[in-house]
């Protein structure tokens, strides 16, 4: 995979963070359809990538603390498993406005990388089955492909089975 960056230092906070860390990644852009019912499945189809390799970034509230859950777009987040993975009791999906405000990204473009306030992250264990995975690069219509090992390292993620079909 080639590392991509703009010469002028531009890009999204996610790509800036990847470049600053010296992490190899590939950027994939596609034409986002605002009418698409699922941002993640749209990305998988547009990129011709299996939906089990494209991961969505969800923000949840576990016992009053916002955190990030990264799961395959083909499935759903298991909130009980997320709470258990971080030693919590109860998890609910975060208010979308709070998720946007805290991460600095808009819904459908929230990246686990380069967030305004770094949140604790849990990456679904299925990511380790792949050589590379795709996650949002920080805006709708832009995905970044990188190794799950690098993704976990850059986000200090806990790997746990938090996704379900």
């Amino acid at each position: 995979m080639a590392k991509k960056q703009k010469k002028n230092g531009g890009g999204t906070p996610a790509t800036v963070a990847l470049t600053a860390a010296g992490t190899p990644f590939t950027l994939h852009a596609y034409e986002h359809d605002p009418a698409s019912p699922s941002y993640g499945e749209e990305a998988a189809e547009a990129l011709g990538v299996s939906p089990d390799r494209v991961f969505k970034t969800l923000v949840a509230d576990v016992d009053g603390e916002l955190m990030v859950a990264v799961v395959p777009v083909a499935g759903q987040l298991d909130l009980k498993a997320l709470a258990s993975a971080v030693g919590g009791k109860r998890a609910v999906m975060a208010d979308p406005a709070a998720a946007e405000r805290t991460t600095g990204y808009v819904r459908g473009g929230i990246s686990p990388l380069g967030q305004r306030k770094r949140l604790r992250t849990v990456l679904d264990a299925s990511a380790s089955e792949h050589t590379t995975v795709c996650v949002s690069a920080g805006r709708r219509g832009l995905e970044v492909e990188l190794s799950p090992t690098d993704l976990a390292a850059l986000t200090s993620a806990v790997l746990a089975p938090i996704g379900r079909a």
Side-chain angles (χ1 to χ4, degrees), residues 120-143:
R120 286 174 59 193
T121 302
V122 181
L123 175 60
D124 186 67
S126 69
S128 62
E129 299 168 9
H130 307 286
T131 306
T132 61
V133 294
C134 296
V135 296
S136 175
R139 70 170 186 257
R140 296 173 189 153
L142 193 63
E143 293 282 309

Side-chain angles (χ1 to χ4, degrees), residues 44-126:
E45 187 175 320
L47 300 176
V49 175
S50 173
D52 63 340
R53 277 190 49 227
V54 178
F55 284 65
K56 57 188 169 187
T57 305
L58 303 171
V59 180
D61 180 319
V62 180
D63 299 335
E65 179 187 352
L66 289 183
M67 57 187 55
V68 169
V70 185
V71 297
V73 300
Q76 296 179 356
L77 171 61
D78 182 334
L79 289 164
K80 267 188 167 176
L82 174 64
S84 177
V86 296
K89 290 184 169 85
R90 183 170 180 270
V92 295
M93 293 306 297
D95 172 68
E100 290 180 346
R101 194 172 44 254
T102 304
T103 64
Y105 294 116
V106 298
R107 210 175 98 212
I110 294 178
S111 177
L113 303 158
Q115 297 170 358
R116 179 178 292 148
K117 178 183 179 198
R118 188 171 177 172
L119 299 175
R120 286 174 59 193
T121 302
V122 181
L123 175 60
D124 186 67
S126 69

